[in-house]
Amino acid sequence: DKNPPDCFNGRVITRNGKITADEMRAITEAAERFGNGQVAMTTRLTIEIQHIPFDNIEPLREFLAQHGLETGGTGSKVRPVVSCKGTTCQYGLIDTFALSEEIHERFYHGYNDVKLPHKFKIAVGGCPNNCVKPDLNDVGIVGQRIPRVIPELCKGCKLCEKSCPLHVAKVVDGKAVIDPSQCNNCGRCIPKCPFHAIEAQATGYQVYIGGRWGKRTAMGRPLSAIFTDQEELLTLIEKCLLLFRAYGQPKERFADTITRLGFDQVQAMLLSDELLQRKEEILSQPAS
C-alpha cells in the first residue's frame, strides 16, 4: 500500500470470480484480524484485503490456507483467470465457471513456476456479448453456438429475423438464411423458432490471441477455427504459453510476439503439434 509505511494489500485469488459464503466469511474475518477490516475488488475479479502490516503477512496466508484460499497473482507468469457469469447468465452458451476453474488449475497453478517474458492474461466469456472483454486479453475465449437452418421445416415466420441482434438472419423466398461469415454465433435465433427449423450445429469456443489493455492497447485476433472440444481448447492455451515462452523476448507482451513473428505463422504453429512435441525442451530453457 503506497500510503501507510510498512503495510501491504493481500490479493485473494477467486479461481473464476466466484467464491462460497464460507470463503467470504473467511476473507472478512481475515480482513478484520490481519488488515484494517476493508476489502477491495480488483478489475480482474480478485479480492484485496487492505492495510496488512508486514508482520501479519504470513499469519494471514496461513489463515486463508486453512479455508482453501491463497494470495498472489502478480509477476511475469499466468495471471488469475477472469470469467463472466455465463454459467448462470441468460445469454451464456458455455459453463464459464467450470471452464475457468479448469484453466486456473492447469495453467495458473500448473504453470506457476514457469517464468514468461511478461504477464499472461486469460479471460473466458460465455457469449459474443463480450462482457469480460476477451479480445483485450493475451488469450480470450468466447462461447459459441453455431446455428444451422433446416429449410424443409421453415415456415417463413421471420421470428429469427426479429430475434437476431446483428440482423444477419433473413427470410429469403420464404426460407430462413443465415450468412455464416456475418453471424457471431450467439445462438439467440435457435430457441426462437417455433418450428425447430434452426438447430445448434455445434457449441464451442472462439479463441482470440494477442489482446492487450493498458498503456498500449491491442485488439486480439480470432483464430480461424472454432473449437468444439474442451480438451482441444485447453491444449491450445498450453500451446500459446509454450510459444510465448519459446519466442517471446524479455518484457514483451504476447501481442508484440505475435506481431513480430506474424499472425499467420503463429496461427500455423498453434494449430499444429510442434510446440507440444518440444514442450520439455521449451520449459527447460533459460527464462527470457
Side-chain angles (χ1 to χ4, degrees), residues 50-65:
Q50 299 193 321
H51 200 95
I52 305 165
F54 179 81
D55 290 341
N56 282 355
I57 291 177
E58 288 309 316
L60 166 73
R61 296 180 68 188
E62 292 171 8
F63 176 82
L64 290 173

Side-chain angles (χ1 to χ4, degrees), residues 225-244:
I226 292 178
F227 300 87
T228 57
D229 180 78
Q230 180 172 304
E231 195 59 37
E232 187 181 17
L233 170 70
L234 294 167
T235 299
L236 175 78
I237 296 172
E238 184 164 30
K239 290 178 185 178
C240 290
L241 292 171
L242 292 171
L243 188 148
F244 192 33

Side-chain angles (χ1 to χ4, degrees), residues 82-126:
V82 172
S83 169
C84 78
K85 61 184 187 71
T87 302
T88 60
C89 176
Q90 63 175 324
Y91 299 122
L93 305 176
I94 58 174
D95 187 347
T96 53
F97 289 146
L99 175 59
S100 297
E101 190 154 1
E102 181 68 24
I103 294 171
H104 172 83
E105 292 300 328
R106 286 209 194 186
F107 303 116
Y108 179 76
H109 280 158
Y111 270 67
N112 186 60
D113 294 331
V114 177
K115 190 176 188 322
L116 299 172
H118 211 307
K119 58 190 168 187
F120 195 93
K121 297 181 176 181
I122 302 171
V124 178

